[in-house]
Amino acid sequence: MTAVSTTYSNPAELLDSVGQDLGATEWMTIDQDRINMFADATDDHQWIHVDAERAAAGPFGATIAHGFLTLSLTSVVMEQLLVVQNIAMGINYGLNKVRFPSPVVVGSRIRGTATLTSAEEIGGGAGVQAVVTVTMQIEGQDKPACVAECVVRYLS
């Protein structure tokens, strides 16, 4: 089963949709290969992420994903759950707030949910700036792995 996206025919439709739940993605497994590739890409080889033997004796009993790996997956969530048509382009404009309430232990399954938190016109009719709150859930846990307020500009 594939995540069902919420589709808007143009950026202006976002203005009347603030508060809308955009749904949830499918679950994905965070395996050690993905964690290692992220460590290589970012030069962050802290033992809690890449040394399975040492991490087994650590506070989580196994390696954990980098918080920024989990955060980077919010772009996948946005792509799967929110489609705005009839735009020149959509750009990642940044983040307002990010929190990592719970670690993602290797082998865990995570998914993203999203809510359209705010939307406002960009001056001069250039488009709409939206804030989408993305929550990265960990299967079987109450506390999420990440909650991020993602700012996106949909340019006309």
Side-chain angles (χ1 to χ4, degrees):
M1 179 162 62
T2 304
V4 177
S5 64
T6 301
T7 302
Y8 298 94
S9 62
N10 60 64
E13 287 185 358
L14 295 166
L15 301 171
D16 295 326
S17 300
V18 172
Q20 183 170 0
D21 176 2
L22 303 174
T25 64
E26 295 300 314
W27 293 101
M28 72 173 76
T29 301
I30 303 301
D31 61 20
Q32 191 63 50
D33 285 341
R34 183 184 293 255
I35 293 169
N36 291 345
M37 286 188 290
F38 190 84
D40 290 341
T42 60
D43 286 332
D44 182 352
H45 293 94
Q46 183 183 17
W47 66 268
I48 196 71
H49 305 303
V50 297
D51 186 338
E53 186 175 315
R54 186 171 176 193
F60 307 108
T63 57
I64 61 170
H66 303 71
F68 285 126
L69 168 56
T70 306
L71 177 62
S72 71
L73 294 172
T74 63
S75 63
V76 174
V77 173
M78 295 282 290
E79 182 180 315
Q80 289 183 12
L81 297 183
L82 176 60
V83 175
V84 180
Q85 299 173 330
N86 298 305
I87 59 173
M89 74 174 76
I91 60 170
N92 172 352
Y93 198 64
L95 300 158
N96 286 338
K97 182 178 176 183
V98 178
R99 297 291 181 265
F100 301 106
S102 189
V104 178
V105 176
V106 67
S108 296
R109 290 181 4 130
I110 65 172
R111 72 173 179 184
T113 62
T115 302
L116 180 61
T117 307
S118 70
E120 58 187 31
E121 289 185 33
I122 300 169
V128 172
Q129 178 171 297
V131 176
V132 179
T133 301
V134 176
T135 302
M136 300 301 288
Q137 301 173 334
I138 306 169
E139 188 174 43
Q141 292 191 25
D142 293 333
K143 290 172 80 175
C146 178
V147 180
E149 293 179 5
C150 304
V151 184
V152 183
R153 285 194 163 187
Y154 297 100
L155 305 178
S156 301

